[in-house]
Amino acid sequence: MSLRIGIDVGSTHTDAVIVDKDNRLIAATKVVTSPDVTSGVLEALTKIVKESGVDPSEVAAAMFGTTHCLNAILQRKDLARVAVIRIGLPATAAVEPMVDWPPDLRRAVGDLKFLVEGGHEYTGEEISPLNEARLREICREVKGKVEAVAITSVFSPVNPDHEVRAAEIVREELGEIPVTMSSEISTLGLLERENSAILNAAVTFVANRAIQAFLEVMRSLGLEKAKLYLTQNDGTVMEAKHAAKYPIFTVATGATNSLRGAQMLTGIKDAIVVDVGGCTTNVGMLVKGFPRESTIHVEIGGVRTNFRMPDIFSIGIAGGSIVRVDDGRVCVGPESVGHELVKCGLAWGGNVVTATDVALALGVMSIEDPNCKPELARRQLDPELARKAYEIIVEGVEYAIDRVKTRPEPMPVILVGGGSLMLPTRLRGASKVIRPEHAQSANAIGAATAKTGAQIDKAYSLEHLSREKALEDAKISAVAKAVEAGADPNTVEIVEIEEIAMPYLPGNAVRIRVKAVGEIKL
Amino acid sequence: MMELNEQDVEDVAVGAAILGSGGGGDPYLGKLMCLQALRRGKRIRLVDLEEVPEDAFIVPTAGMGTPIVLVEKLPNGSEPLNALRILEAYVGKKAYATIPIEAGGVNSTIPLAVGALADIPIIDGDGMGRAFPELQMTTFFTHGVAVSPMSMADEKGNSLLISALDGYWAEKIARVVTIKFGGIAWVAIYTMTGRQAREAVIPRTVSLALKLGRAVREAREMGRSPLDHLLHVSGGFELFTGKIVDVARRIAGGFTRGEAKIEGLDSYRNETLTIQFQNENLVAVKDGEIVASVPDLIIVLDVETAQPITTERLRYGQRVAVIGMPCHEKWRTPEGLKVVGPRYFGYDVEYVPIERRVKGGGLK
């Protein structure tokens, strides 16, 4: 009972690995990502279990990084209809929920919104008492018309009481229905937090269905004893039952799994990670072993959100990027042949010039594939064109590296991902370039070896509370949430504390953010 | 009279962020208030100063308080209207129109929504032509428009009327009330007649914001360089293009002060531009020489998208273009410069209008 399976869904390939208790790689495989995602994941899981020949009862955990929720939002597909409840009247009426959502996404979640009296001031005092009667009325109105509920109360990161009470009322009236409280999703900034909560509620449906499908195949493969985890945006994993409640935390895991995998494969905790896939290259930064997070609003599917997302810079230059000449100018990407590289690429006998063909023709990389014939690329490619295209590829990556940095000093750069072999071992801005063994499976390894944890981001008014007490409270709730997410209580540690003063307010209001991480409890 | 539609409101918000010169806050909230009002059949009507009757009663409106509260406890929508109604009752006249105090930043778009909700026009103009950090930094003030009577309102229905001795007292009283209101208050202030407005208002700044925002959008839609288009429409000057290599910030006296160092790219290779800011961009110095200063507008934009970058968002690695735009004539008088000139912000230098610096300084 010591093996772990890691699966990561990319835009072109779905990768799977098995690691042992010392995080050594036992087996790795990949399949083409399927349009529905689920069948590709199941194929990868089946393949790795069968090919590796491991005893299924030895597998203790399966960690899945999937794009189900992100795709559902981007494609406006399989979204739950959500009753959007905002608590804050008489405040907030000037801007109703979802005012600036793309109309198709608003329709996809049902466009049912309600404003209720209640909410708090920054001091924690009530704006007005919670109108419970109105809440019950709303519940009766939406009964049978919605599959989830999102509740957002003004200043709930300071005082969540009204959200908690409203959730109780909703459950009393509507029974077992997924209820998202905004204070559990993100922080101050009403519209962005509300948007985040609505999106979370909207993807509960698709997340649950995916989890059920994963569990079924795990059972059919004899992985009955393995616990299912989903990887989340901050580079940790959460148990399936937790993920079912907070599925929005899985929308950016592709990039973070690769970052964590790069950390595992090299042991380096502070570095820039370049993950070269088939269609895009994602560049992010590891800070103390975890992906650095974005400090600005991140738009998802055209909606402004403020839950924690990794700070990733993406460019449309990757292994499958199409190389062409436009008006005498050489261009690389953003169009890509994706997984068709092994059919369309010059080196595979096709007639599309790709970034990989360029690298093969110049002799900077080799690929262990009997069907890949670099001489085909070399013969057909004009050396001058190849040289120019390669320059563009390298410059693009160097530009992305620079954009991710916070200081001009060179930093270690770790190259991972299926397309990373095409990059040179010297890059501008890099103190050294590391290309770890198993780099092409870094994403799945990142998933398989992930820790679990949680973070809280809460506002405190220090008028009636000492700073120490506030910090203590924040730490306790972060640890409790990490344990709830499946961490072994004996290994939980606080990996990050951030204190942000909120200026112009009397009574010393502060925002405290704490991240707690521990080994998963198996 | 000109009526704004949803697309116009989106464009005004982009233009207002540009006129914010690095500060002023995000026009996003006011934009959303406008969009909601429009969808409910309200109208946003812009009126030119020329059309305003001499004896018209004009009531500027604005929000004041803590940015974090503004984005969390959104307004009901009735507050600025209540504030306006109180002044109407006190003065005994119906408001002919409202007007923004600043054309840049968060308070540029909110009066548009107020006008829509009150069913009165908005005067195409403002008291700054950009964004500034303090309430007296308006041409209303420098042209002798009285701060009082001033009114304040919250979302619960509380309101008050203030007869302050001067701007200093108004600010002192308003700050205390704002905190008791929960960190944000909605004010009507600097009431004036049409005759006074023609003297004190910087004209056509709302339509300028609209033009700037539209220029950026249309260039993007046509696949042209938004930056070139923006320069063409704004009458501004390109000061520099480069990469930010260092940003330093410190909190001083309630404001964030700091500087950003930009290393030149393309035709500016081997040159360095430093921008010093206090909420807004104050001074641009190239290789030791000032190339632009307050009250002229110094605007930092993403070099590709022409999206303006506020001072709190400046960070290492960004590729930016810096443009300068002349401020309005009203700021270039001795009285104007006393309130918003470089000396007020602690720079012991003479103000030289940007167009003279550009001609004399050999800028590209």
Side-chain angles (χ1 to χ4, degrees):
Chain A
M1 272 295 282
S2 58
L3 302 177
R4 296 178 182 194
I5 294 177
I7 292 187
D8 182 76
V9 181
S11 54
T12 43
H13 289 104
T14 298
D15 289 88
V17 298
I18 298 180
V19 299
D20 69 9
K21 67 175 191 309
D22 301 317
N23 289 334
R24 274 187 306 241
L25 188 67
I26 305 284
T29 191
K30 66 172 63 195
V31 302
V32 171
T33 297
S34 62
D36 72 331
V37 180
T38 306
S39 50
V41 170
L42 303 183
E43 189 194 340
L45 182 63
T46 311
K47 200 169 160 202
I48 191 103
V49 172
K50 297 258 160 79
E51 277 179 6
S52 66
V54 297
D55 176 356
S57 67
E58 280 299 304
V59 178
M63 277 88 164
F64 288 33
T66 178
T67 52
H68 276 92
C69 295
L70 180 63
N71 291 351
I73 294 169
L74 298 182
Q75 299 164 7
R76 286 88 163 106
K77 245 176 62 186
D78 300 329
L79 295 172
R81 279 170 303 165
V82 182
V84 176
I85 299 176
R86 185 199 287 168
I87 303 167
L89 286 179
T92 80
V95 184
E96 282 189 343
M98 304 183 280
V99 163
D100 68 335
W101 281 38
D104 58 342
L105 185 55
R106 197 164 54 209
R107 278 194 299 275
V109 300
D111 203 10
L112 282 168
K113 47 192 186 270
F114 305 91
L115 270 61
V116 180
E117 285 79 11
H120 291 84
E121 304 280 359
Y122 74 90
T123 53
E125 296 165 280
E126 284 182 350
I127 294 173
S128 47
L130 180 64
N131 188 341
E132 301 195 1
R134 175 70 189 129
L135 266 172
R136 292 190 193 277
E137 227 173 79
I138 292 165
C139 288
R140 271 168 244 140
E141 208 177 314
V142 300
K143 197 163 192 167
K145 291 185 197 151
V146 295
E147 290 109 13
V149 179
I151 304 172
T152 308
S153 170
V154 173
F155 274 110
S156 62
V158 174
N159 186 340
D161 287 357
H162 285 181
E163 284 187 0
V164 173
R165 178 65 192 134
E168 280 171 15
I169 292 172
V170 167
R171 288 206 184 89
E172 282 169 26
E173 296 288 333
L174 299 179
E176 276 311 304
I177 186 167
V179 178
T180 302
M181 291 190 282
S182 78
S183 53
E184 296 199 315
I185 303 297
S186 66
T187 184
L188 295 177
L190 185 80
L191 294 173
E192 290 80 12
R193 186 173 72 254
E194 178 176 73
N195 289 344
S196 308
I198 300 169
L199 290 179
N200 185 70
V203 294
T204 45
F205 194 56
V206 65
N208 275 303
R209 213 170 52 187
I211 289 169
Q212 289 317 316
F214 298 160
L215 287 171
E216 237 166 75
V217 174
M218 283 167 63
R219 262 195 303 274
S220 73
L221 290 169
L223 300 165
E224 276 121 359
K225 290 181 193 150
K227 261 195 197 168
L228 173 62
Y229 293 83
L230 262 62
T231 62
Q232 49 182 347
N233 305 336
D234 68 350
T236 62
V237 290
M238 50 184 168
E239 272 184 51
K241 66 171 196 301
H242 198 68
K245 275 164 74 182
Y246 308 109
I248 199 70
F249 294 149
T250 68
V251 294
T253 62
T256 50
N257 286 337
S258 299
L259 270 107
R260 285 288 304 157
Q263 197 275 319
M264 277 309 302
L265 291 171
T266 60
I268 299 176
K269 292 198 159 172
D270 295 278
I272 286 175
V273 178
V274 177
D275 177 18
V276 188
C279 304
T280 51
T281 292
N282 293 323
V283 183
M285 196 192 274
L286 281 168
V287 179
K288 295 184 188 138
F290 285 92
R292 185 182 68 205
E293 290 175 347
S294 174
T295 53
I296 57 169
H297 301 135
V298 175
E299 268 199 18
I300 298 172
V303 172
R304 280 204 348 182
T305 66
N306 68 347
F307 58 93
R308 291 281 162 177
M309 289 282 278
D311 192 1
I312 300 293
F313 193 85
S314 299
I315 52 171
I317 294 178
S321 296
I322 295 171
V323 178
R324 64 204 146 68
V325 182
D326 257 1
D327 276 342
R329 258 186 61 228
V330 180
C331 304
V332 182
E335 299 79 18
S336 168
V337 294
H339 68 269
E340 308 257 274
L341 175 65
V342 295
K343 261 200 284 201
C344 314
L346 292 183
W348 283 269
N351 55 10
V352 182
V353 184
T354 67
T356 300
D357 291 310
V358 166
L360 286 168
L362 293 173
V364 291
M365 76 186 283
S366 58
I367 291 179
E368 283 175 45
D369 173 358
N371 297 323
C372 171
K373 307 211 163 44
E375 64 277 11
L376 283 178
R378 209 171 306 130
R379 227 178 293 142
Q380 294 176 70
L381 258 176
D382 167 31
E384 184 54 25
L385 171 70
R387 202 189 48 75
K388 186 79 204 135
Y390 195 65
E391 211 176 279
I392 291 169
I393 294 166
V394 173
E395 272 173 11
V397 170
E398 287 173 339
Y399 171 73
I401 289 171
D402 199 42
R403 286 304 302 261
V404 164
K405 280 183 165 182
T406 48
R407 292 191 315 270
E409 290 78 35
M411 280 189 77
V413 171
I414 307 170
L415 304 180
V416 295
S420 62
L421 280 174
M422 72 180 188
L423 293 181
T425 49
R426 288 174 74 166
L427 287 165
R428 193 153 36 92
S431 56
K432 54 181 170 178
V433 176
I434 304 137
R435 216 199 302 252
E437 200 184 350
H438 311 307
Q440 65 283 4
S441 305
N443 52 348
I445 290 170
T449 59
K451 296 181 176 192
T452 186
Q455 47 183 315
I456 65 129
D457 190 338
K458 252 176 100 172
Y460 290 88
S461 165
L462 299 185
E463 213 148 1
H464 307 292
L465 191 72
S466 71
R467 182 176 157 270
E468 288 67 34
K469 280 258 167 62
L471 279 171
E472 197 51 38
D473 179 79
K475 284 190 210 163
I476 289 170
S477 32
V479 170
K481 269 186 130 176
V483 172
E484 194 197 331
D488 178 351
N490 299 319
T491 63
V492 175
E493 53 174 340
I494 307 285
V495 293
E496 216 181 311
I497 299 180
E498 193 185 12
E499 214 181 322
I500 308 151
M502 299 201 289
Y504 310 111
L505 285 179
N508 283 329
V510 288
R511 241 177 92 183
I512 300 175
R513 190 163 75 87
V514 179
K515 180 170 173 177
V517 167
E519 298 296 334
I520 60 167
K521 195 178 171 193
L522 293 175
Chain B
M1 193 87 77
M2 158 178 159
E3 214 170 309
L4 302 190
N5 60 27
E6 287 198 21
Q7 183 62 63
D8 296 334
V9 168
E10 298 275 357
D11 290 343
V12 168
V14 173
I18 294 171
L19 292 176
S21 320
D26 193 344
Y28 181 65
L29 174 64
K31 177 185 98 174
L32 296 189
M33 289 170 70
C34 289
L35 292 180
Q36 176 160 321
L38 287 174
R39 286 174 201 169
R40 293 192 172 163
K42 309 280 186 192
R43 298 157 66 202
I44 301 173
R45 293 172 293 151
L46 271 192
V47 58
D48 198 272
L49 268 181
E50 305 288 317
E51 300 170 58
V52 178
E54 292 267 301
D55 61 345
F57 178 51
I58 297 159
V59 187
T61 47
M64 69 179 286
T66 311
I68 194 81
V69 178
L70 186 63
V71 298
E72 179 66 30
K73 190 175 73 168
L74 307 182
N76 171 279
S78 63
E79 307 90 331
L81 209 57
N82 287 346
L84 181 136
R85 297 282 181 242
I86 290 163
L87 292 193
E88 283 184 336
Y90 177 73
V91 177
K93 283 186 199 158
K94 289 297 271 178
Y96 167 83
T98 186
I99 181 174
I101 293 170
E102 50 186 331
V106 59
N107 266 322
S108 59
T109 43
I110 283 170
L112 302 180
V114 176
L117 295 173
D119 196 26
I120 53 175
I122 300 97
I123 291 178
D124 185 3
D126 77 312
M128 295 185 185
R130 46 169 295 160
F132 277 125
E134 294 169 36
L135 217 53
Q136 82 282 3
M137 296 177 168
T138 69
T139 51
F140 306 160
F141 173 78
T142 56
H143 285 75
V145 178
V147 169
S148 289
M150 170 184 176
S151 62
M152 303 178 72
D154 74 1
E155 74 284 351
K156 300 176 187 75
N158 296 305
S159 61
L160 74 160
L161 176 69
I162 300 169
S163 283
L165 287 176
D166 52 28
Y168 172 76
W169 278 101
E171 170 88 18
K172 222 159 83 154
I173 298 166
R175 288 284 157 210
V176 176
V177 176
T178 302
I179 284 161
K180 291 297 164 199
F181 276 0
I184 187 96
W186 299 85
V187 302
I189 188 173
Y190 282 124
T191 61
M192 60 188 114
T193 63
R195 195 174 312 111
Q196 276 177 300
R198 280 203 252 285
E199 289 296 313
V201 166
I202 299 181
R204 297 185 187 144
T205 46
V206 179
S207 50
L208 173 63
L210 173 64
K211 269 198 323 210
L212 299 181
R214 189 181 282 163
V216 169
R217 174 175 55 83
E218 286 181 348
R220 281 186 205 151
E221 284 168 3
M222 293 183 298
R224 300 221 185 107
S225 156
L227 194 62
D228 292 347
H229 218 63
L230 186 64
L231 281 169
H232 178 72
V233 170
S234 66
F237 304 93
E238 181 183 321
L239 300 176
F240 205 68
T241 301
K243 175 184 126 179
I244 297 181
V245 290
D246 192 35
V247 184
R249 291 187 182 87
R250 62 186 190 283
I251 307 276
F255 295 112
T256 306
R257 296 197 72 132
E259 63 173 47
K261 204 194 231 176
I262 309 167
E263 240 173 51
L265 288 171
D266 306 326
S267 56
Y268 299 94
R269 205 166 278 276
N270 300 324
E271 294 178 299
T272 306
L273 184 90
T274 304
I275 292 178
Q276 300 181 342
F277 54 82
Q278 174 191 305
N279 295 16
E280 286 81 27
N281 300 316
L282 298 177
V283 174
V285 181
K286 186 157 84 173
D287 298 324
E289 197 187 325
I290 293 180
V291 291
S293 82
V294 274
D296 288 329
L297 289 74
I298 300 166
I299 301 153
V300 182
L301 305 154
D302 180 288
V303 77
E304 263 148 46
T305 62
Q307 193 69 35
I309 304 171
T310 55
T311 53
E312 74 253 33
R313 293 274 161 82
L314 295 169
R315 54 173 275 202
Y316 173 86
Q318 284 165 334
R319 266 64 172 176
V320 298
V322 183
I323 67 171
M325 270 171 69
C327 68
H328 193 264
E329 292 301 322
K330 287 186 166 54
W331 286 133
R332 294 177 165 186
T333 62
E335 300 76 48
L337 291 171
K338 211 171 104 190
V339 181
V340 296
R343 287 217 161 80
Y344 182 85
F345 291 96
Y347 296 93
D348 194 20
V349 294
E350 210 56 51
Y351 166 71
V352 180
I354 185 162
E355 54 277 25
R356 276 193 10 229
R357 288 196 189 273
V358 171
K359 282 194 188 105
L363 288 181
K364 284 154 197 161

